[in-house]
Structures are given as structure tokens and as C-alpha cells.
Amino acid sequence: MKLKFLIILIIIFCSQNNYAQHTDVINSNRPGESMSAFAVGKTVVQIESGLSFLNEKHSVLKYKANGTGLDFNLRYGIFKEQLETILEIAYQNDSYVNDLGTLKRTGLRSSTMGVKYLVYDPFKYAVEKVNLYSWKANHKFNWKQLIPAVAVYGGVNLNFSNNPFISKEENLSVISPKFMVISQSHFGNGYVFLVNIFMDKIGTDFQSLEYIITLTKGFNEQWSAFIENKAIKGDYYADVIFRGGAAYLLNKNLQVDASISKNYKGTPAIVYGGVGISWRSDTNHKDVMIKAKKEKKKKDKSKKGKEKAKAKKRLDEIELTKP
């Protein structure tokens, strides 16, 4: 009986309090390309980087490109648990071969700075009620899981030097805005579903509407895998890309990953794969405890309940008239 009482106390305590944003283990956007709705947590520094090997062929323009790329993302939580700044840099070094010869290209393929804010968190005030007597009740599908967390992102693409990986006309755009809406759903049993819908290079001739859909499955405390679909629609470039991979958690602040990507069309046909690492420092982070909202007690509107309320009111009146 003492053990059961202790278990009940622990469940009550855990169900009444929730900690925002910051998680026990690192929450990385890698190895997929989609962005999570949740921030890393106030004062938390997180680095996500990867090395990729790419192969590109164009069936119409008759060129080939082979080389390597390096992605570097820096995330930092500021001011509030829901807010983070993000710096994204992609460097590429390759050999571009066509009928005219071979060209060695190197430089920043893209660089973006932005801010992400969690607008709605369905888990913020969630109270998980545990049935001590029924495993089935605790593992049945919860319709509340269909309600996603929602975040918004705003950033700018930066291009302060001549970029060999884009056209001469596109090089004229030094700064262009990027805006994104993010939704994240947790379906239980280790499944996480992410949707990113965004406009990129807004206001330029190279503006595009894009989406990324990612489904991740956690198999245990260390291993997870994902599949992803990205679509790009613009006047200058359109494509559909498929991606898959896995990640392994070395410790609560360190993750390694691997992935492979292939697009749909042949103008150009792109294949690239790579490995990466994610690391965070949360030594300066302090947990922010959020108390769950208390449920309002329902009034007993039955005849018996009304009689009890009247009797209590009379007793209170008698007590007040006593000297």
C-alpha cells in the first residue's frame, strides 16, 4: 500500500508541472532539412553540422558537378523559452565539367539568419492522467495528439560576395526575406510529424514557394530514423526531393547522423549523402516550471446537491449570528 501511495504521489506531482522547451536530451533538426517547432531553450547554445558528398548531372545543359559540402547551423535561445536565433551556412567545393572544360568552384552556397518563435504549444498545460489499473487505457490513441505545436520563422538570405553556385542575375540580390510556418505533431509510439511551409527569396525574380514534410520514428532511447519530402515551386527553379536517414544519440548533448537524398527530375539530377553531428551546451540554462491549469469543479445541479447547498448556507448563517 505504501508503494502504491508513493506512485500516486509521483504521478500527481508530474502531471501538475511541465517544463517548457528545454528537453532532457538534445533536440536536433538533423539529419533532415525541416525545422522543429520547438526552440532549444533560453541561454542554450546548439551547433548542428554535417559533411555531404554530392553528384549533379544536367541532361539538357550537359554538365556534371562532383564535390563536397559543409553545413553549419548555430541555434541560440534568447529572452524566452519559446524564442531562438538561427544562423545557417552552407559551403560547397566542387568540380564543374561541361563541353568547355572543367571549372573549380568554391564558396558559400547560401547563408541565412533568422528568428523562430513558438506560437502555440499543446503540451504546455497538458495534464497526463495515468490509469494504474489499465495498460490498455494508458496506451490507447489520444485524439489530442492530432493538435500540433505551431511556430513561425522570419529570416533573411545574405549574399555579400559573388556566388559561383547561382546565376549572375541572382547574385544581384544581396538580401532577400524568408518566412516560414511550422507545425509539429507527436503521435505517440515515437512518431513525430513535421510540416514546414515557406516563401523564400521574397520579392525577387527567384522567389519560390516550398514545403518540407518529415516523419521521424524513435525506436529506443538511442536510435531514430526519418523519411522526408521537399518540394520547390518557382519561376526559376522547381523540384521534388526525397530524403531518408538515421540518427544515434551518444549522450544527452551529442548526436551523430547519416542521410541520403535524391531528387525527382533530371534537369539537374541530384544525389547527395552525408554524415553529421549535433552538440549543445545547456550549462547556463535554468528550467522554467509551468503549473498546469487547475480544472474548475463542476457544480452539482441535482436535487440532492441543491438541498446540500441550501443546508450548508443555513449552517453558515447560524454560525454568523452566534455571539
Side-chain angles (χ1 to χ4, degrees):
M1 289 298 292
K2 286 184 178 180
L3 179 60
K4 185 181 287 187
F5 180 71
L6 180 61
I7 293 170
I8 292 170
L9 282 180
I10 292 170
I11 291 168
I12 291 171
F13 178 81
C14 293
S15 65
Q16 294 299 314
N17 301 295
N18 195 6
Y19 291 90
Q21 300 297 288
H22 181 262
T23 53
D24 291 335
V25 299
I26 187 171
N27 179 18
S28 175
N29 290 328
R30 292 191 60 86
E33 195 175 315
S34 59
M35 193 177 291
S36 165
F38 294 93
V40 291
K42 186 179 177 182
T43 72
V44 174
V45 179
Q46 187 160 310
I47 295 173
E48 303 170 5
S49 185
L51 179 66
S52 58
F53 305 89
L54 57 97
N55 178 275
E56 183 176 329
K57 296 179 182 179
H58 203 293
S59 58
V60 177
L61 300 179
K62 303 297 181 183
Y63 75 77
K64 298 179 181 179
N66 293 280
T68 57
L70 179 65
D71 299 321
F72 177 85
N73 294 350
L74 175 63
R75 302 169 62 186
Y76 180 67
I78 58 171
F79 302 133
K80 302 175 71 175
E81 286 288 294
Q82 299 94 333
L83 185 66
E84 75 173 24
T85 57
I86 306 169
L87 171 65
E88 301 172 276
I89 296 174
Y91 173 85
Q92 186 168 318
N93 179 26
D94 67 17
S95 295
Y96 179 88
V97 182
N98 61 13
D99 294 337
L100 300 176
T102 302
L103 175 66
K104 294 289 185 179
R105 302 184 300 180
T106 183
L108 290 180
R109 187 180 184 96
S110 64
S111 56
T112 309
M113 290 182 64
V115 178
K116 182 180 70 178
Y117 182 74
L118 181 69
V119 177
Y120 175 71
D121 179 5
F123 311 106
K124 189 173 183 179
Y125 298 111
V127 178
E128 296 294 333
K129 295 181 179 179
V130 179
N131 190 326
L132 295 176
Y133 304 100
S134 174
W135 183 93
K136 186 177 180 180
N138 293 327
H139 290 80
K140 69 179 181 180
F141 181 78
N142 186 351
W143 288 100
K144 290 182 179 179
Q145 293 173 347
L146 296 177
I147 303 173
V150 179
V152 292
Y153 168 90
V156 288
N157 299 293
L158 306 173
N159 183 33
F160 296 121
S161 61
N162 188 33
N163 190 333
F165 302 104
I166 58 178
S167 65
K168 293 180 180 179
E169 294 80 6
E170 195 171 355
N171 265 309
L172 297 175
S173 302
V174 177
I175 296 177
S176 59
K178 179 179 180 179
F179 179 76
M180 183 187 304
V181 177
I182 306 163
S183 74
Q184 180 171 337
S185 303
H186 294 252
F187 294 139
N189 295 324
Y191 285 99
V192 178
F193 185 64
L194 268 168
V195 178
N196 293 179
I197 301 174
F198 55 101
M199 292 285 291
D200 202 4
K201 299 176 182 177
I202 299 170
T204 72
D205 293 336
F206 306 93
Q207 176 176 299
S208 62
L209 175 63
E210 306 180 26
Y211 75 74
I212 306 175
I213 299 174
T214 309
L215 179 64
T216 302
K217 165 66 175 174
F219 299 103
N220 51 46
E221 293 182 356
Q222 279 79 39
W223 283 103
S224 64
F226 83 101
I227 54 173
E228 186 173 273
N229 171 232
K230 178 180 180 180
I232 306 166
K233 182 174 176 57
D235 294 334
Y236 179 74
Y237 182 72
D239 207 345
V240 177
I241 301 168
F242 299 95
R243 186 177 291 111
Y248 181 78
L249 189 70
L250 293 172
N251 60 53
K252 70 171 188 173
N253 291 322
L254 188 63
Q255 173 190 289
V256 292
D257 62 72
S259 64
I260 187 167
S261 305
K262 177 73 176 74
N263 72 330
Y264 176 72
K265 63 180 191 176
T267 53
I270 303 171
V271 179
Y272 55 97
V275 293
I277 189 169
S278 301
W279 170 85
R280 76 171 180 182
S281 174
D282 59 354
T283 54
N284 296 322
H285 181 266
K286 293 181 180 179
D287 286 330
V288 178
M289 189 170 70
I290 299 173
K291 291 186 177 180
K293 292 179 178 178
K294 292 182 179 179
E295 294 182 0
K296 293 181 179 179
K297 291 182 178 180
K298 293 181 180 179
K299 292 183 179 179
D300 191 349
K301 295 183 179 181
S302 65
K303 187 176 180 181
K304 194 174 182 180
K306 289 178 180 179
E307 289 176 355
K308 285 182 178 180
K310 287 179 180 178
K312 188 177 181 302
K313 187 178 179 181
R314 284 197 296 270
L315 287 171
D316 291 339
E317 289 173 352
I318 291 169
E319 288 293 327
L320 289 172
T321 56
K322 285 183 179 179

